[in-house]
């Protein structure tokens, strides 16, 4: 690990800002360890060709979360949730009520067969280059609640592929997957906050500066609460998919509605705790509390040292983290990495 200048570490400690109040309903924190499962398969006559030249290939590259350490109820809930999502992207015709009991391996075989059948009908078509991919992020793991996100992409012929995602928050003791009624008291008020946050996050489509026609919600694309949402340390995370409230061209949209804005409608809030802020420039350069980070590894090393110092000083809670100006994927990776670091250090306290 890189050595940290003590003055830099002190500055980082002093630069932490305060977040929101806590009213959690689970009294006992549990150490939850999130591991990874994966499945990779490549099959087809054209798989040895460069991507741009492939006309007959099925590629599966899936990664999803698995509970290595946690309650049996949590293990089952996360397994069922992840399986349902993966089955949905591999074999969309599967009855989702039975998807949790399905075999991911078997559905992967169905995906490959679907590609082979397509390739027989259109042997020279670039549309026969099928793809199914996924990766996951740990958005929250505080020993009471666990929020996971899986992001995926599939292409099964047609004009374009389909970006997909699933987000869920689990009570770590009961394994229950929380819904909006568990998180907020007033969904109408939440919808107004969500729309305002969406408009602020996507000012590029509502007030474009490139001469494009402005987008607005209408009867074809009315605004609605997100299908994918979850509790994070600084508020309610929302992940809108393409087509959910707008055309495919606007893509996915992610943002956090802070606890300060949720106010009294939030059923769960977190204790006043320090917040680490990671900022990203348009060029992808990162800063932590105003200090430039050379790369992702440097950021990880700095955060690890910062948390270790917190633990050494007797802190009972770790700071939360938020990102500003970071691309969607980078933001998720930073949050996931930070939650993994916290989980590793929590193990040393046992």
């Amino acid at each position: 690990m890189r050595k940290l200048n003590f003055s830099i570490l002190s500055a980082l400690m002093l630069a932490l800002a305060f977040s929101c109040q806590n009213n959690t309903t689970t009294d006992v924190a549990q150490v939850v360890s999130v591991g990874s499962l994966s499945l990779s398969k490549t099959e087809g006559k054209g798989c040895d060709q460069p991507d741009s030249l492939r006309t007959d290939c099925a590629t599966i590259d899936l990664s999803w979360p698995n509970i290595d350490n946690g309650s049996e109820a949590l293990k089952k809930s996360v397994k069922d949730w992840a399986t349902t999502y993966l089955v949905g992207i591999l074999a969309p015709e599967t009855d989702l009520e039975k998807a949790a009991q399905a075999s991911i391996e078997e559905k992967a075989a169905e995906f490959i067969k679907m590609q082979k059948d397509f390739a027989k009908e259109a042997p020279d078509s670039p549309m026969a280059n099928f793809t199914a991919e996924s990766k996951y992020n740990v958005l929250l793991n505080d020993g009471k609640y666990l929020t996971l996100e899986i992001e995926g992409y599939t292409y099964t012929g047609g004009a374009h592929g389909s970006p997909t995602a699933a987000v869920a928050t689990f009570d770590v003791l009961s394994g229950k997957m929380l819904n909006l009624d568990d998180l907020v008291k007033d969904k109408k008020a939440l919808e107004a906050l969500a729309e305002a946050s969406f408009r602020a996050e996507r000012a590029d489509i509502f007030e474009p500066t490139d001469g494009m026609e402005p987008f607005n919600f209408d009867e074809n694309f009315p605004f609605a609460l997100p299908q994918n949402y979850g509790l994070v340390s600084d508020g309610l995370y929302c992940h809108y998919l393409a087509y959910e409230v707008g055309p495919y061209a606007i893509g996915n949209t992610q943002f956090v509605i802070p606890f300060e804005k949720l106010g009294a409608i939030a059923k769960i809030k977190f204790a006043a705790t320090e917040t680490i802020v990671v900022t990203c420039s348009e060029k992808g350069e990162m800063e932590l509390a105003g200090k430039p980070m050379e790369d992702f590894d440097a950021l990880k090393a700095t955060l690890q040292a910062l948390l270790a110092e917190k633990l050494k000083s007797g802190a009972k809670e770790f700071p939360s983290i938020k990102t500003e100006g970071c691309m969607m994927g980078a933001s998720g990776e930073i949050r996931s990495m930070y939650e993994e670091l916290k989980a590793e250090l929590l193990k040393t306290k046992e």
Side-chain angles (χ1 to χ4, degrees):
M1 180 186 296
R2 294 179 174 82
K3 285 188 176 180
L4 286 178
N5 181 290
F6 180 76
S7 63
I8 293 178
L9 186 56
S10 299
L12 291 173
M13 299 283 284
L14 292 172
L16 299 174
F18 284 97
S19 182
C20 311
Q21 296 299 315
N22 186 14
N23 241 343
T24 53
T25 57
T26 308
D27 295 322
V28 182
Q30 302 288 305
V31 175
V32 175
S33 176
V34 182
S36 179
L37 296 175
S38 62
L39 175 65
S40 295
K41 289 180 179 291
T42 302
E43 194 168 324
K45 296 178 182 178
C47 293
D48 58 344
Q49 297 294 316
D51 288 352
S52 60
L53 299 178
R54 286 183 181 177
T55 58
D56 183 358
C57 184
T59 302
I60 298 173
D61 187 10
L62 305 175
S63 178
W64 66 94
N66 180 67
I67 304 302
D68 290 339
N69 182 63
S71 70
E72 291 303 314
L74 180 64
K75 289 179 181 179
K76 183 179 186 306
S77 288
V78 171
K79 178 179 180 295
D80 289 352
W81 168 75
T83 300
T84 298
Y85 170 77
L86 294 169
V87 167
I89 66 174
L90 289 170
E93 300 302 318
T94 303
D95 182 351
L96 288 183
E97 292 185 2
K98 301 177 182 178
Q101 284 71 52
S103 163
I104 295 174
E105 285 274 0
E106 290 178 2
K107 296 303 176 182
E110 288 183 24
F111 182 86
I112 291 172
K113 182 181 183 302
M114 180 170 60
Q115 184 276 330
K116 286 182 177 179
D117 292 342
F118 188 98
K120 285 179 182 178
E121 296 181 6
D124 298 320
S125 171
M127 293 184 183
N129 184 24
F130 283 22
T131 301
E133 302 171 342
S134 73
K135 63 179 182 178
Y136 73 91
N137 301 308
V138 180
L139 302 181
L140 176 69
N141 183 5
D142 69 348
K144 298 178 182 179
Y145 301 102
L146 174 68
T147 300
L148 300 171
E149 175 183 57
I150 308 178
E151 295 180 281
Y153 173 83
T154 57
Y155 178 76
T156 55
H160 53 70
S162 298
T164 61
V167 181
T169 295
F170 303 88
D171 182 295
V172 303
L173 283 178
S174 69
K176 178 184 177 182
M177 188 164 68
L178 306 185
N179 57 36
L180 279 178
D181 289 324
D182 297 313
L183 300 175
V184 298
K185 301 173 184 176
D186 186 339
K187 286 191 284 190
K188 267 294 183 186
L190 177 63
E191 185 174 335
L193 290 171
E195 181 174 349
S197 296
F198 192 107
R199 289 179 178 277
E201 180 69 20
R202 296 305 307 273
D204 61 310
I205 61 173
F206 291 101
E207 299 176 4
T209 57
D210 56 3
M212 295 294 289
E213 186 73 20
F215 169 76
N216 216 332
F217 301 117
D218 56 24
E219 58 183 13
N220 294 317
F221 290 111
F223 187 79
L225 287 170
Q227 298 172 22
N228 293 294
Y229 52 84
L231 192 66
V232 291
S233 57
D234 47 351
L236 183 68
Y237 173 74
C238 301
H239 188 145
Y240 283 89
L241 301 176
Y243 288 130
E244 193 169 341
V245 292
Y248 178 86
I250 74 171
N252 291 10
T253 301
Q254 299 139 301
F255 54 83
V256 174
I257 305 175
F259 285 121
E260 306 96 274
K261 291 187 177 179
L262 290 170
I265 73 168
K267 287 187 176 180
I268 300 172
K269 296 182 182 180
F270 289 108
T273 184
E274 299 161 316
T275 301
I276 295 172
V277 181
V278 178
T279 58
C280 301
S281 70
E282 293 181 359
K283 296 180 180 179
E285 299 165 336
M286 294 181 293
E287 290 188 354
L288 176 59
K291 300 294 180 181
M293 295 290 108
E294 180 181 341
D295 52 28
F296 192 82
D297 288 338
L299 175 64
K300 182 176 181 179
T302 305
L303 288 171
Q304 189 170 32
L306 180 61
L307 293 181
E309 186 69 20
K310 282 290 217 178
L311 191 64
K312 184 179 178 181
S313 66
K316 295 182 179 180
E317 293 187 4
F318 288 133
S320 60
I321 194 167
K322 71 175 182 178
T323 59
E324 294 180 351
C326 301
M327 297 291 288
M328 296 175 185
S331 180
E333 287 184 23
I334 291 170
R335 285 177 177 272
S336 185
M337 174 266 287
Y338 185 69
E339 293 298 333
E340 288 172 6
L341 286 176
K342 290 200 299 182
E344 289 173 7
L345 286 171
L346 281 172
K347 286 184 180 179
T348 67
K349 295 174 66 178
E350 293 183 300

